[in-house]
């Protein structure tokens, strides 16, 4: 979240509370609490990894992207994270939906004044 522009366009006010909890300090606080208490009282920790971050780790540690993903997942689980999700499929769906919308807008460009240009973005945050 340190690279987040805080534009608030990706969240509602309820989600804003969840995003506020997604920081390094809170993660380590929960990890430490989980180590100290009974497993039945553990807070479940889930981490999502966006496809844009994996090439960075791969290049930094001279690994293939797949190896970087496996090692990052293993590292997070060794810290105490319960679930690690790869959001590549979600990014793929986003691209497909953007493509569908662009084709629709392109076909309507002569009938609808504001069909183009089409602005799009993807935020891994």
């Amino acid at each position: 979240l340190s690279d987040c522009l805080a534009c608030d366009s990706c969240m509602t006010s309820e989600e804003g509370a969840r995003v506020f909890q997604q920081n390094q300090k809170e993660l380590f606080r929960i990890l430490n609490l989980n180590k100290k208490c009974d497993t039945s009282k553990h807070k479940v920790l889930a981490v999502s990894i966006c496809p844009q971050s994996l090439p960075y780790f791969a290049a930094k540690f001279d690994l293939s992207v797949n190896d970087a993903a496996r090692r990052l997942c293993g590292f997070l689980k060794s810290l105490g994270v319960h679930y690690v999700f790869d959001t590549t499929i979600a990014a793929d769906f986003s691209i497909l939906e953007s493509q569908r919308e662009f084709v629709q807008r392109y076909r309507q460009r002569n009938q609808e004044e504001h069909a183009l240009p089409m602005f799009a973005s993807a935020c891994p945050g």
Side-chain angles (χ1 to χ4, degrees):
L1 289 174
S2 63
D3 293 333
C4 177
L5 299 175
C7 65
D8 286 338
S9 63
C10 67
M11 66 181 108
T12 65
S13 60
E14 182 183 318
E15 290 166 331
R18 288 187 211 129
V19 170
F20 174 74
Q21 295 172 348
Q22 297 179 20
N23 61 62
Q24 184 178 357
K25 184 178 176 183
E26 182 67 8
L27 172 67
F28 286 113
R29 187 182 77 76
I30 298 299
L31 287 170
N32 286 328
L33 282 175
N34 282 354
K35 287 178 186 174
K36 295 175 184 174
C37 69
D38 185 274
T39 55
S40 65
K41 297 179 182 179
H42 278 192
K43 288 193 175 190
V44 176
L45 291 168
V47 172
S48 62
I49 300 175
C50 66
Q52 297 91 330
S53 63
L54 291 175
Y56 166 79
F57 286 108
K60 180 161 179 69
F61 297 107
D62 196 28
L63 302 167
S64 70
V65 173
N66 286 337
D67 197 28
R70 279 192 295 276
R71 289 183 184 212
L72 184 57
C73 180
F75 171 72
L76 291 167
K77 287 195 171 201
S78 75
L79 289 177
V81 171
H82 297 90
Y83 301 101
V84 180
F85 297 100
D86 179 355
T87 61
T88 301
I89 194 163
D92 291 345
F93 279 124
S94 177
I95 290 168
L96 289 172
E97 283 300 307
S98 293
Q99 175 193 19
R100 184 195 56 76
E101 182 180 351
F102 176 77
V103 169
Q104 178 184 359
R105 286 169 169 262
Y106 184 79
R107 288 179 179 158
Q108 294 174 347
R109 71 188 183 283
N110 295 328
Q111 294 89 19
E112 194 175 317
E113 180 182 352
H114 300 289
L116 293 175
M118 180 181 126
F119 297 101
S121 69
C123 176

